[in-house]
Amino acid sequence: DQQVKQNSPSLSVQEGRISILNCDYTNSMFDYFLWYKKYPAEGPTFLISISSIKDKNEDGRFTVFLNKSAKHLSLHIVPSQPGDSAVYFCASSDSNFGNEKLTFGTGTRLTIIP
Amino acid sequence: GAVVSQHPSRVICKSGTSVKIECRSLDFQATTMFWYRQFPKQSLMLMATSNEGSKATYEQGVEKDKFLINHASLTLSTLTVTSAHPEDSSFYICSASRRVRTDTQYFGPGTRLTVL
């Protein structure tokens, strides 16, 4: 039972344009959401997070949007840069477990075309 | 800061042998360490959570006698896959956090285990 779904395994975006990565979840107990970025041969690195009391969180070029009614979150990267090419994982947790029990999606490979 | 290393990065072993994977937090003290497994084209799945000096908490369906976890210090956790079989071949990745429940998890680069 995949509780966190990233339905697009890959995405290609022109440099300078907006990249939008999507994530859906099914567990209504999830109330904290994170995005991780992974380069080859490295572990995932934390990018940005959002709690369910917000619907938007912004950090520089990265913005995460949360639509609780649709159980959907998205990561916007603008403008996209070649260094953004990586695999992006969304993850969710239930605050009863703090940040401990993360449920990950399968990842979306983003390729930025120069 | 917040660097986590894993050793080895790759290991190939024969069926029936045991393999130990180390996870170290290099520049911080990790109150909690986590072990994940990822099969091809699947998501990272949490196997167990360990706090320094106490027994690990295993997720449902993960055999604690097969996957032995030791978190003997605030900078080192080990995962031992005992009597490994080909179906244990996977990508094992650890993460560490500085504070219980509230800190971001910092991930190691992972270990690719192949059991022949």
CSV table of all heavy atoms in Angstrom, one decimal, chain A residues 2 36 41 43-44 46 95-96 98-102 104-105, chain B residues 34 36 42-44 59 93 100-101 103-105 107-109:
chain,number,residue,atom,x,y,z
A,2,GLN,N,0.9,1.9,-1.1
A,2,GLN,CA,1.8,3.1,-1.3
A,2,GLN,C,1.1,4.3,-0.8
A,2,GLN,O,0.2,4.8,-1.4
A,2,GLN,CB,2.2,3.2,-2.8
A,2,GLN,CG,3.2,4.2,-3.1
A,2,GLN,CD,4.6,3.8,-2.6
A,2,GLN,OE1,4.9,2.6,-2.6
A,2,GLN,NE2,5.4,4.7,-2.2
A,36,TYR,N,13.0,15.9,-0.3
A,36,TYR,CA,14.4,15.6,-0.3
A,36,TYR,C,14.9,15.6,-1.8
A,36,TYR,O,14.2,15.2,-2.7
A,36,TYR,CB,14.7,14.3,0.4
A,36,TYR,CG,14.7,14.3,1.9
A,36,TYR,CD1,13.5,14.2,2.6
A,36,TYR,CD2,15.9,14.4,2.6
A,36,TYR,CE1,13.5,14.3,4.0
A,36,TYR,CE2,15.9,14.4,4.0
A,36,TYR,CZ,14.7,14.3,4.6
A,36,TYR,OH,14.7,14.4,6.0
A,41,ALA,N,25.0,8.6,-6.1
A,41,ALA,CA,26.0,8.2,-5.1
A,41,ALA,C,26.0,9.0,-3.8
A,41,ALA,O,27.0,8.9,-3.1
A,41,ALA,CB,27.4,8.2,-5.8
A,43,GLY,N,23.4,10.5,-0.4
A,43,GLY,CA,22.2,10.3,0.3
A,43,GLY,C,21.2,11.4,0.0
A,43,GLY,O,21.7,12.5,-0.4
A,44,PRO,N,20.0,11.2,0.2
A,44,PRO,CA,19.0,12.4,0.1
A,44,PRO,C,19.3,13.5,1.0
A,44,PRO,O,19.8,13.3,2.1
A,44,PRO,CB,17.7,11.7,0.4
A,44,PRO,CG,17.8,10.3,0.3
A,44,PRO,CD,19.3,10.0,0.6
A,46,PHE,N,17.8,17.1,2.7
A,46,PHE,CA,16.6,17.9,3.0
A,46,PHE,C,16.6,19.1,2.2
A,46,PHE,O,17.5,19.9,2.1
A,46,PHE,CB,16.5,18.2,4.5
A,46,PHE,CG,15.4,19.1,4.9
A,46,PHE,CD1,14.1,18.7,4.8
A,46,PHE,CD2,15.7,20.4,5.2
A,46,PHE,CE1,13.1,19.5,5.2
A,46,PHE,CE2,14.7,21.3,5.5
A,46,PHE,CZ,13.4,20.8,5.5
A,95,SER,N,2.7,13.8,13.0
A,95,SER,CA,3.4,14.6,14.0
A,95,SER,C,3.4,13.8,15.4
A,95,SER,O,4.1,14.1,16.3
A,95,SER,CB,2.8,16.0,14.2
A,95,SER,OG,1.4,15.9,14.6
A,96,ASN,N,2.5,12.8,15.5
A,96,ASN,CA,2.5,12.0,16.7
A,96,ASN,C,3.9,11.3,16.8
A,96,ASN,O,4.3,10.9,17.9
A,96,ASN,CB,1.4,11.0,16.7
A,96,ASN,CG,0.0,11.7,17.0
A,96,ASN,OD1,0.0,12.6,17.8
A,96,ASN,ND2,-1.0,11.2,16.3
A,98,GLY,N,6.6,12.8,15.5
A,98,GLY,CA,7.6,13.8,15.3
A,98,GLY,C,8.1,13.7,13.9
A,98,GLY,O,7.3,13.5,12.9
A,99,ASN,N,9.4,13.7,13.7
A,99,ASN,CA,10.0,13.6,12.4
A,99,ASN,C,10.5,12.2,12.1
A,99,ASN,O,11.3,12.0,11.2
A,99,ASN,CB,11.1,14.6,12.2
A,99,ASN,CG,11.6,14.7,10.8
A,99,ASN,OD1,10.9,14.4,9.9
A,99,ASN,ND2,12.8,15.1,10.7
A,100,GLU,N,10.1,11.3,13.0
A,100,GLU,CA,10.8,10.0,13.0
A,100,GLU,C,10.3,9.0,11.9
A,100,GLU,O,11.1,8.5,11.2
A,100,GLU,CB,10.6,9.3,14.4
A,100,GLU,CG,11.4,10.0,15.4
A,100,GLU,CD,11.5,9.3,16.7
A,100,GLU,OE1,10.8,8.2,16.8
A,100,GLU,OE2,12.2,9.7,17.6
A,101,LYS,N,9.0,8.9,11.8
A,101,LYS,CA,8.6,7.8,10.8
A,101,LYS,C,8.2,8.5,9.5
A,101,LYS,O,7.1,9.0,9.4
A,101,LYS,CB,7.4,7.1,11.4
A,101,LYS,CG,7.8,6.3,12.7
A,101,LYS,CD,6.7,5.4,13.2
A,101,LYS,CE,6.5,4.2,12.3
A,101,LYS,NZ,5.8,3.1,13.0
A,102,LEU,N,9.1,8.6,8.6
A,102,LEU,CA,8.9,9.2,7.3
A,102,LEU,C,8.4,8.1,6.3
A,102,LEU,O,9.0,7.0,6.3
A,102,LEU,CB,10.2,9.9,6.8
A,102,LEU,CG,10.7,11.0,7.6
A,102,LEU,CD1,11.9,11.6,6.9
A,102,LEU,CD2,9.6,12.1,7.7
A,104,PHE,N,8.1,7.6,2.4
A,104,PHE,CA,8.6,8.2,1.2
A,104,PHE,C,7.8,7.8,-0.1
A,104,PHE,O,7.3,6.7,-0.1
A,104,PHE,CB,10.1,7.8,1.0
A,104,PHE,CG,11.1,8.6,1.8
A,104,PHE,CD1,11.3,8.1,3.1
A,104,PHE,CD2,11.7,9.7,1.3
A,104,PHE,CE1,12.2,8.8,3.9
A,104,PHE,CE2,12.6,10.4,2.1
A,104,PHE,CZ,12.9,9.9,3.4
A,105,GLY,N,7.8,8.7,-1.0
A,105,GLY,CA,7.4,8.4,-2.4
A,105,GLY,C,8.5,7.7,-3.1
A,105,GLY,O,9.6,7.5,-2.6
B,34,PHE,N,18.3,6.0,11.9
B,34,PHE,CA,17.3,5.2,11.2
B,34,PHE,C,17.9,4.4,10.1
B,34,PHE,O,18.9,4.8,9.5
B,34,PHE,CB,16.3,6.2,10.5
B,34,PHE,CG,15.7,7.2,11.4
B,34,PHE,CD1,16.4,8.4,11.7
B,34,PHE,CD2,14.5,7.0,12.0
B,34,PHE,CE1,15.9,9.4,12.5
B,34,PHE,CE2,13.9,8.0,12.9
B,34,PHE,CZ,14.6,9.2,13.1
B,36,TYR,N,16.9,2.4,6.5
B,36,TYR,CA,16.0,2.2,5.4
B,36,TYR,C,16.5,1.2,4.4
B,36,TYR,O,17.7,0.9,4.3
B,36,TYR,CB,15.8,3.5,4.7
B,36,TYR,CG,15.1,4.6,5.4
B,36,TYR,CD1,15.9,5.4,6.3
B,36,TYR,CD2,13.8,4.9,5.3
B,36,TYR,CE1,15.3,6.5,7.0
B,36,TYR,CE2,13.2,6.0,6.0
B,36,TYR,CZ,14.0,6.7,6.8
B,36,TYR,OH,13.4,7.8,7.5
B,42,GLN,N,11.3,1.3,-6.1
B,42,GLN,CA,10.4,1.4,-5.0
B,42,GLN,C,10.9,2.5,-4.1
B,42,GLN,O,12.0,3.1,-4.3
B,42,GLN,CB,10.3,0.1,-4.2
B,42,GLN,CG,9.6,-1.0,-5.0
B,42,GLN,CD,9.4,-2.3,-4.2
B,42,GLN,OE1,9.2,-2.2,-2.9
B,42,GLN,NE2,9.3,-3.4,-4.8
B,43,SER,N,10.1,2.9,-3.1
B,43,SER,CA,10.5,4.0,-2.2
B,43,SER,C,11.3,3.5,-1.1
B,43,SER,O,11.5,2.3,-0.8
B,43,SER,CB,9.2,4.7,-1.7
B,43,SER,OG,8.4,3.7,-1.0
B,44,LEU,N,12.0,4.4,-0.4
B,44,LEU,CA,12.7,4.1,0.8
B,44,LEU,C,11.7,3.6,1.8
B,44,LEU,O,10.7,4.3,2.1
B,44,LEU,CB,13.4,5.4,1.3
B,44,LEU,CG,14.6,5.9,0.6
B,44,LEU,CD1,14.9,7.3,1.0
B,44,LEU,CD2,15.8,5.0,0.9
B,59,GLU,N,10.1,-1.8,12.4
B,59,GLU,CA,8.8,-1.7,11.7
B,59,GLU,C,8.2,-3.1,11.5
B,59,GLU,O,8.9,-4.1,11.5
B,59,GLU,CB,9.0,-1.0,10.4
B,59,GLU,CG,9.5,0.5,10.5
B,59,GLU,CD,8.5,1.3,11.3
B,59,GLU,OE1,7.3,1.4,10.9
B,59,GLU,OE2,8.9,1.9,12.4
B,93,ILE,N,20.2,2.3,3.4
B,93,ILE,CA,20.6,3.6,3.7
B,93,ILE,C,20.2,4.0,5.1
B,93,ILE,O,19.2,3.6,5.6
B,93,ILE,CB,19.9,4.6,2.6
B,93,ILE,CG1,20.5,6.0,2.7
B,93,ILE,CG2,18.4,4.7,2.8
B,93,ILE,CD1,20.2,6.8,1.4
B,100,VAL,N,15.6,14.3,19.3
B,100,VAL,CA,14.5,13.4,19.2
B,100,VAL,C,13.3,14.0,18.6
B,100,VAL,O,12.9,15.1,19.0
B,100,VAL,CB,14.2,12.8,20.6
B,100,VAL,CG1,13.0,11.9,20.5
B,100,VAL,CG2,15.4,12.0,21.1
B,101,ARG,N,12.7,13.4,17.6
B,101,ARG,CA,11.4,13.8,17.0
B,101,ARG,C,11.3,15.0,16.2
B,101,ARG,O,10.4,15.2,15.4
B,101,ARG,CB,10.3,13.8,18.1
B,101,ARG,CG,10.0,12.5,18.8
B,101,ARG,CD,9.1,12.7,20.0
B,101,ARG,NE,7.8,13.2,19.5
B,101,ARG,CZ,6.8,12.4,19.3
B,101,ARG,NH1,6.9,11.1,19.5
B,101,ARG,NH2,5.6,12.9,19.0
B,103,ASP,N,14.1,16.9,14.7
B,103,ASP,CA,15.2,17.4,13.8
B,103,ASP,C,15.0,16.7,12.4
B,103,ASP,O,14.5,15.6,12.3
B,103,ASP,CB,16.5,17.1,14.4
B,103,ASP,CG,17.6,17.8,13.7
B,103,ASP,OD1,17.4,18.9,13.1
B,103,ASP,OD2,18.8,17.3,13.8
B,104,THR,N,15.6,17.4,11.4
B,104,THR,CA,15.7,16.8,10.1
B,104,THR,C,16.5,15.6,10.1
B,104,THR,O,17.5,15.5,10.9
B,104,THR,CB,16.3,17.9,9.2
B,104,THR,OG1,15.5,19.0,9.2
B,104,THR,CG2,16.5,17.4,7.8
B,105,GLN,N,16.2,14.7,9.3
B,105,GLN,CA,17.1,13.5,9.1
B,105,GLN,C,18.1,13.8,8.1
B,105,GLN,O,17.8,14.3,7.0
B,105,GLN,CB,16.2,12.3,8.7
B,105,GLN,CG,15.3,11.8,9.8
B,105,GLN,CD,14.5,10.6,9.4
B,105,GLN,OE1,15.0,9.7,8.7
B,105,GLN,NE2,13.3,10.4,9.9
B,107,PHE,N,20.9,12.0,5.7
B,107,PHE,CA,21.1,10.7,5.2
B,107,PHE,C,22.5,10.4,4.8
B,107,PHE,O,23.3,11.2,4.3
B,107,PHE,CB,20.2,10.5,3.9
B,107,PHE,CG,18.8,10.3,4.3
B,107,PHE,CD1,17.9,11.4,4.5
B,107,PHE,CD2,18.2,9.0,4.3
B,107,PHE,CE1,16.6,11.2,4.9
B,107,PHE,CE2,16.9,8.8,4.6
B,107,PHE,CZ,16.1,9.9,4.9
B,108,GLY,N,22.9,9.1,4.9
B,108,GLY,CA,24.2,8.6,4.4
B,108,GLY,C,24.0,8.3,2.9
B,108,GLY,O,22.9,8.4,2.4
B,109,PRO,N,25.1,8.0,2.2
B,109,PRO,CA,25.0,7.7,0.8
B,109,PRO,C,24.5,6.4,0.4
B,109,PRO,O,24.3,6.1,-0.8
B,109,PRO,CB,26.5,7.9,0.4
B,109,PRO,CG,27.3,7.5,1.6
B,109,PRO,CD,26.5,8.0,2.7
